[in-house]
Amino acid sequence: MKAEKRDIRAFTKQQLRDFFESQGDKAFRGNQVYEWLWQKSAHSFEDMTNISKATRQMLEDNFVINHIKVDQMQRSSDGTIKNAVRLHDGLTVESVLIPTPTRTTACVSSQVGCSLDCRFCATARLKRMRNLNPDEIYDQVVAIDNESRLYHDRPLSNIVFMGMGEPLMNYNNVLKAIDKITSPEGLGMSPKRITVSTSGVPKMIKKMADENVKFKLAVSLHSAIDEVRTSIMPFNATFPLKDLREALEYWYAKTKNRITYEYVVWEGINDTKKDVDALIKFCKFAPSKVNLIEYNPIDDGEFQQASSKAIDMYTSILEANNITVTIRRSRGKDIDAACGQLANKTQ
Ligand code: SF4
């Protein structure tokens, strides 16, 4: 029986060097192939023109390059681009390019479906199938970088892990992908331009702090009152705010990095002064920024964006307490850009 071909991008550079040596070739060949795989994002062994034909054939016989495929690309009238990304096993995730006058941000997925169950989120309704591999995360970034150059005449400037999935539930692969994205042998991006956005997994936040990571942290908070948060993000019953706050204090003590809170204000859920006061109490221990995000409703209408009066109340009270506030307009409404919407319609 013929052995199954192995995924060559699961190999480290050293493993590729060892492989070529074991074949009686020079270890340096491993460096060349590694460069083709990552820096040049080669889609086939055929593309590796400085490798001999016989070696390319040997690679073809033994390995596969499991590149993602952008199955469907939708362009919004506001410049947002949404990709439905087909993985090698036929599953789909999504990634989004979000342009502003000064930057282009890639919003990438880390899981097929999600381990968590936020009630306002379209992805939560998809079955969690599996974690993405580092190369599948990396490829989403490369695809968006290419689209940014093509449609917006500039390279990608920022990355947020805010697409499908909870990145800290796929911690090792997310960190490996970030290593490749920031490495000079990959895309060479500064880690300061990368934000990992989590719903708050205390143990993993502490682990990141211990590992001295250089990227930024954002927390999807949405409420600083346990009962309210548990009602919209049921896993909060397992990871209550007290534990999250303790982990964030640990993060700040170690990294001295400002923490960003992602926060949607919904009508009748978290739109009172009591909710704002709880938020201030929760985040005042460290320099913080609150992004008030406009909600892109999913079909059932259970969650509705709060009134502009409620948003104004949040803004003025937060600012009076020296907490930086930004208001994020929802992007790509005409192309179903809310988390999980496209995949829900294409699966
Ligand atoms: S909001 Fe994020 S963490 Fe929550 S279910 Fe959706 S993808 Fe998962």
Side-chain angles (χ1 to χ4, degrees):
M1 207 172 73
K2 215 166 171 230
E4 208 179 303
K5 292 186 187 184
R6 288 173 293 169
D7 175 5
I8 193 162
R9 288 195 298 169
F11 284 62
T12 61
K13 186 155 82 173
Q14 188 55 48
Q15 285 169 329
L16 282 178
R17 287 172 59 87
D18 293 346
F19 170 76
F20 278 101
E21 267 193 324
S22 74
Q23 301 290 306
D25 201 337
K26 296 200 170 62
F28 173 69
R29 200 74 61 225
N31 298 19
Q32 289 177 309
V33 170
Y34 191 85
E35 189 179 319
W36 276 108
L37 291 173
W38 295 105
Q39 207 168 38
K40 297 178 182 164
S41 257
H43 277 58
S44 77
F45 296 112
E46 227 9 67
D47 294 342
M48 302 180 178
T49 45
N50 60 353
I51 309 284
S52 75
K53 225 171 165 189
T55 305
R56 279 186 266 158
Q57 188 56 52
M58 181 274 291
L59 290 171
E60 185 73 53
D61 293 341
N62 289 286
F63 299 101
V64 282
I65 306 175
N66 284 330
H67 256 286
I68 62 161
K69 185 168 172 289
V70 177
D71 246 6
Q72 188 189 355
M73 187 194 77
Q74 289 177 282
R75 289 173 68 195
S76 163
S77 52
D78 67 14
T80 302
I81 296 177
K82 181 138 178 162
N83 294 329
V85 169
R86 182 79 52 188
L87 308 173
H88 69 94
D89 53 5
L91 296 171
T92 306
V93 292
E94 59 194 22
S95 39
V96 183
L97 176 159
I98 305 157
T100 68
T102 52
R103 55 169 72 174
T104 309
T105 301
C107 175
V108 297
S109 294
S110 54
Q111 297 182 308
V112 186
C114 185
S115 308
L116 302 183
D117 51 4
C118 306
R119 287 186 42 229
F120 50 82
C121 169
T123 299
R125 297 178 185 187
L126 303 170
K127 197 166 161 230
R128 194 192 84 82
M129 305 295 289
R130 68 172 173 87
N131 287 334
L132 293 192
N133 298 326
D135 51 287
E136 292 168 330
I137 297 169
Y138 184 88
D139 285 354
Q140 293 176 64
V141 174
V142 172
I144 291 188
D145 185 36
N146 291 338
E147 289 167 352
S148 181
R149 288 168 200 269
L150 187 64
Y151 297 108
H152 295 281
D153 286 328
R154 59 188 183 201
L156 179 67
S157 57
N158 296 74
I159 301 171
V160 292
F161 282 80
M162 228 180 156
M164 294 166 70
E166 165 52 59
L168 298 192
M169 292 290 197
N170 184 16
Y171 182 79
N172 289 338
N173 288 351
V174 165
L175 256 69
K176 279 183 192 164
I178 291 176
D179 266 358
K180 292 273 192 306
I181 292 164
T182 53
S183 146
E185 292 175 323
L187 299 178
M189 273 184 83
S190 162
K192 294 200 174 73
R193 293 182 172 272
I194 300 175
T195 303
V196 169
S197 175
T198 174
S199 290
V201 187
K203 193 172 87 183
M204 302 314 286
I205 292 172
K206 285 184 176 170
K207 188 169 160 69
M208 284 197 305
D210 283 337
E211 291 180 0
N212 197 21
V213 298
K214 299 281 182 258
F215 49 78
K216 293 185 189 157
L217 175 68
V219 178
S220 292
L221 191 64
H222 305 309
S223 175
I225 300 173
D226 267 318
E227 306 85 79
V228 178
R229 196 166 192 260
T230 301
S231 74
I232 54 176
M233 304 167 88
F235 68 88
N236 186 71
T238 316
F239 306 127
L241 287 163
K242 179 177 71 61
D243 296 356
L244 176 58
R245 160 85 185 245
E246 193 212 318
L248 292 172
E249 282 179 13
Y250 188 81
W251 162 272
Y252 183 69
K254 285 248 170 178
T255 66
K256 294 281 173 270
N257 281 339
R258 179 170 82 168
I259 300 161
T260 298
Y261 296 96
E262 310 288 358
Y263 202 102
V264 180
V265 188
W266 289 285
E267 198 177 286
I269 293 177
N270 56 354
D271 58 351
T272 67
K273 183 164 181 302
K274 186 176 160 208
D275 295 291
V276 197
D277 290 343
L279 172 60
I280 289 162
K281 201 168 160 216
F282 184 87
C283 66
K284 254 202 136 173
F285 69 92
S288 306
K289 178 178 158 194
V290 174
N291 283 336
L292 293 176
I293 304 173
E294 190 189 346
Y295 185 56
N296 219 345
I298 50 179
D299 291 341
D300 61 12
E302 192 190 342
F303 288 87
Q304 295 295 336
Q305 170 75 29
S307 65
S308 42
K309 204 171 146 211
I311 306 292
D312 290 347
M313 174 188 66
Y314 261 88
T315 312
S316 57
I317 302 179
L318 286 166
E319 282 176 346
N321 281 275
N322 297 321
I323 295 169
T324 310
V325 195
T326 56
I327 297 182
R328 287 270 174 83
R329 268 192 322 113
S330 178
R331 305 293 303 268
K333 279 186 181 168
D334 51 338
I335 54 167
D336 291 327
C339 174
Q341 284 186 344
L342 183 68
N344 261 338
K345 289 188 179 172
T346 52
Q347 281 192 342

